[in-house]
Amino acid sequence: MAGQQNQQQDINQLLKVRREKLQELQANGKNPFEITKYNITHHSTEIKDHFDELENQEVSIAGRMMFKRVMGKASFCNIQDLQGSIQVYAARDDVGEESYKDFKKYDVGDILGIKGKVFKTKTGEISVHAEEITLLSKSLQILPEKYHGLTDTDIRYRQRYVDLIMNTEVKDTFVKRSKIISSIRRYLDTQGFIEVETPMLVSNAGGAAARPFETHFNALNEDLKLRISLELYLKRLIVGGMERVYEIGRVFRNEGLDTRHNPEFTLMELYQAYTDYHGMMDLTENLYRHVAKEVAGSEVLAYGDYTIDLSKPFERITMVDAVKKYTNVDFSEIHSTQEAKKLADEHHIEYEDRHQKGDILSLFFEHYVEEHLIQPTFVMDHPIEISPLTKKKPDNPEYVERFEFFLNGWEMANAYSELNDPIDQRERFEEQEKAFSAGDAEANHTDEDFLNALNIGMPPTGGIGFGIDRMVMIMTNSMAIRDVLLFPTMKTLGGKDQ
């Protein structure tokens, strides 16, 4: 306890010294916070990659000083910028006595602008020989000790700005995330899709099985919800004649936190007129391969202990056949809910009274099959009970034209041949209302305006929703969804995030 108190006293003293340094700079007319811009000509990796062209050339760089070693009339420091870090050599005779005196007082964490010539030290390290040093921002807080880094995961997520400074692989992940989303957009652009935006605040949060967050709009004195899906508005656009549309945006689901779930996450949904769920399978295969090649440089990805091969045709299997494959239970031979519940009892699978045969099949799949689907797999033809927005299979109306795409045992995408029969859709909504009344808090509610759109007429349409965060996890070998969200949801501490 005494040791902790002494350590805190030492930290407080160091923080006090930093503020005193700032006050001295301000008193001498050198307030760094009055500087409004700095002209950068190059970044660190760019200089290293093009050394032959840049040797002895003047450059201007800027970034955070992460290390400093003062040796009398000359010093070395490391400047970290967007691309990486580079060594800077600063000598009193080159930068001037007053500037060098100031430089010696600068702290690790300060943001500097350096103008100088590119050279290589005697040990072969590409560096910048400083001619001018400008303090662009004073760091008044102490960064974690370099060699121990920032390892506390809770602090890393709460203070992502520090995490990005101390852990370069974290910055790399989020740069790659941006490239993944850009790659998706490029691919869909080549396929004739139009990117659109739809409301986040809605009166009826439909299109998925999830609990919404609720809020109140004071101006109209109305209760609203945050969207849980993008589906119903995008389908309205298909009705309006926009044949290929997609949206990448945040959705909000009032559910738990774990390594694969965050209450707000990024979803992409797309809808294409005049195709079906087979067309969505083809699009998914092509999209995943395109992104993997562009961003990861290969269609074969390492994830944890697995090697995921996107280069081969993705497996396609019905949910009934998948359950049969891993349990030897054939639901095509089960003809009633009573039989299905008896099977569930025998296999110790919990269910609710309201569950029907199709719900039990889905529970078997979740319990016995999902964990085995490591390689890319389309699980097709779901039971109608769990698919209120999907076309029935003409030859077997107990099932629908739907698939879920699995990788690493995770659901990565969900797709339908979209239901465009307004009479059937109304009946499905009525069944969902009954389920809600029976205790299913995640059931859909009737959306009269959407039904009106279907009455106007929607063409045959294929639609799919992609979990962007899980896709980024796979592409970056990240083990938790929080590792690919810049600012994941955290429990509030002491009345505010700390």
Side-chain angles (χ1 to χ4, degrees):
M1 190 70 175
Q4 289 180 341
Q5 289 177 341
N6 291 337
Q7 185 180 29
Q8 187 59 50
Q9 288 173 355
D10 292 342
I11 291 173
N12 290 339
Q13 181 59 32
L14 291 171
L15 294 175
K16 180 172 178 289
V17 169
R18 290 197 177 206
R19 289 187 178 270
E20 289 172 350
K21 288 180 180 180
L22 174 62
Q23 290 167 359
E24 182 182 350
L25 287 166
Q26 291 169 331
N28 293 328
K30 299 176 181 178
N31 186 355
F33 300 125
E34 291 182 350
I35 295 175
T36 57
K37 64 179 182 178
Y38 188 81
N39 182 38
I40 298 171
T41 63
H42 295 80
H43 284 85
S44 56
T45 301
E46 184 183 2
I47 292 171
K48 294 176 182 178
D49 290 345
H50 299 91
F51 174 75
D52 290 343
E53 304 162 33
L54 293 172
E55 186 176 14
N56 294 322
Q57 298 298 308
E58 187 173 89
V59 297
S60 292
I61 63 171
R64 193 177 300 275
M65 183 167 67
M66 300 299 292
F67 167 79
K68 184 176 75 169
R69 185 171 76 249
V70 176
M71 304 179 300
K73 297 179 182 179
S75 301
F76 286 95
C77 70
N78 265 40
I79 298 295
Q80 179 173 295
D81 62 17
L82 174 67
Q83 295 182 353
S85 65
I86 191 165
Q87 181 174 264
V88 172
Y89 172 73
R92 185 191 66 183
D93 294 343
D94 297 314
V95 301
E97 189 168 344
E98 184 177 354
S99 179
Y100 187 68
K101 180 181 177 183
D102 290 339
F103 169 77
K104 290 196 294 184
K105 294 181 181 179
Y106 296 160
D107 294 300
V108 167
D110 288 351
I111 297 175
L112 306 181
I114 307 289
K115 182 184 286 187
K117 288 189 170 65
V118 177
F119 79 109
K120 191 177 286 186
T121 65
K122 292 178 181 178
T123 59
E125 184 168 355
I126 296 170
S127 308
V128 175
H129 189 141
E131 297 169 346
E132 293 179 13
I133 302 174
T134 306
L135 179 63
L136 301 174
S137 183
K138 182 68 185 168
S139 175
L140 301 178
Q141 184 57 274
I142 299 169
L143 292 174
E145 199 273 324
K146 179 180 178 182
Y147 295 101
H148 294 96
L150 181 62
T151 56
D152 184 302
T153 54
D154 192 69
I155 294 176
R156 284 183 54 217
Y157 299 141
R158 290 183 189 278
Q159 299 182 14
R160 182 67 85 186
Y161 42 91
V162 181
D163 190 25
L164 291 167
I165 294 168
M166 301 308 299
N167 297 314
T168 55
E169 71 279 3
V170 172
K171 186 187 293 181
D172 293 342
T173 293
F174 288 105
V175 169
K176 189 172 282 188
R177 179 189 174 106
S178 177
K179 290 179 179 178
I180 288 167
I181 294 173
S182 296
S183 181
I184 291 170
R185 287 192 166 106
R186 275 193 297 276
Y187 178 78
L188 293 178
D189 286 347
T190 67
Q191 303 302 305
F193 282 86
I194 298 170
E195 183 173 11
V196 298
E197 295 173 309
T198 61
M200 291 190 183
L201 284 171
V202 295
S203 57
N204 185 349
R211 294 186 184 186
F213 288 93
E214 299 182 0
T215 187
H216 185 78
F217 182 28
N218 293 332
L220 295 180
N221 193 27
E222 287 185 353
D223 291 330
L224 295 174
K225 300 176 178 66
L226 291 173
R227 66 185 181 187
I228 60 173
S229 168
L230 313 174
E231 179 167 348
L232 300 184
Y233 281 98
L234 292 176
K235 285 182 178 177
R236 286 169 166 89
L237 300 181
I238 295 291
V239 170
M242 300 178 73
E243 294 181 2
R244 299 186 182 203
V245 295
Y246 77 96
E247 181 174 5
I248 299 174
R250 282 293 176 105
V251 297
F252 309 86
R253 298 183 181 179
N254 202 345
E255 56 190 23
L257 294 162
D258 61 30
T259 56
R260 284 183 286 159
H261 294 89
N262 194 72
E264 58 173 311
F265 61 96
T266 302
L267 182 65
M268 180 180 75
E269 290 196 33
L270 64 86
Y271 292 85
Q272 179 179 339
Y274 311 112
T275 191
D276 62 3
Y277 73 144
H278 292 289
M280 293 297 100
M281 290 185 217
D282 294 340
L283 184 146
T284 301
E285 283 201 43
N286 293 332
L287 174 62
Y288 259 79
R289 290 185 186 128
H290 168 86
V291 174
K293 282 191 288 189
E294 272 207 353
V295 178
S298 173
E299 294 176 357
V300 179
L301 305 174
Y303 187 82
D305 296 330
Y306 298 115
T307 298
I308 294 174
D309 190 349
L310 301 173
S311 66
K312 300 174 183 175
F314 295 3
E315 182 181 0
R316 303 185 182 196
I317 187 171
T318 67
M319 183 177 283
V320 169
D321 286 344
V323 169
K324 183 178 178 181
K325 178 178 179 180
Y326 291 100
T327 68
N328 290 320
V329 175
D330 187 354
F331 268 79
S332 66
E333 301 297 323
I334 307 301
H335 302 294
S336 70
T337 295
Q338 186 177 355
E339 289 179 75
K341 287 184 174 180
K342 183 180 177 184
L343 269 174
D345 291 335
E346 292 170 359
H347 287 79
H348 307 291
I349 292 178
E350 295 183 3
Y351 56 87
E352 299 178 27
D353 289 342
R354 63 180 175 82
H355 281 153
Q356 301 177 54
K357 172 187 156 185
D359 298 296
I360 304 297
L361 168 61
S362 179
L363 292 172
F364 265 78
F365 174 77
E366 291 172 6
H367 189 78
Y368 286 108
V369 182
E370 285 189 5
E371 63 181 333
H372 298 289
L373 305 179
I374 304 302
Q375 298 305 319
T377 305
F378 295 119
V379 177
M380 309 180 298
D381 301 350
H382 293 217
I384 193 170
E385 291 90 341
I386 62 169
S387 310
L389 298 164
T390 317
K391 274 193 174 183
K392 297 174 185 174
K393 290 183 67 65
D395 59 343
N396 191 354
E398 289 187 5
Y399 295 90
V400 296
E401 293 191 350
R402 172 185 176 186
F403 73 80
E404 290 176 313
F405 173 50
F406 282 84
L407 270 180
N408 192 51
W410 304 345
E411 179 200 338
M412 305 295 290
N414 185 24
Y416 310 152
S417 294
E418 301 296 336
L419 180 60
N420 63 343
D421 178 345
I423 298 170
D424 189 357
Q425 182 63 80
R426 182 173 290 280
E427 292 172 355
R428 306 276 192 100
F429 275 141
E430 288 171 356
E431 289 299 316
Q432 286 288 294
E433 295 285 7
K434 290 177 184 176
F436 181 79
S437 298
D440 184 358
E442 298 184 348
N444 281 229
H445 293 285
T446 304
D447 187 326
E448 290 293 347
D449 183 71
F450 176 64
L451 288 170
N452 184 59
L454 291 188
N455 275 303
I456 299 264
M458 186 174 86
T461 298
I464 188 167
F466 288 90
I468 296 296
D469 305 305
R470 292 185 187 180
M471 185 181 193
V472 174
M473 289 173 69
I474 294 290
M475 297 281 180
T476 61
N477 199 15
S478 299
M479 296 298 115
I481 193 171
R482 289 181 173 189
D483 293 329
V484 299
L485 297 175
L486 277 168
F487 300 102
T489 302
M490 304 289 290
K491 183 177 175 61
T492 302
L493 297 177
K496 63 179 182 178
D497 281 342
Q498 297 180 353

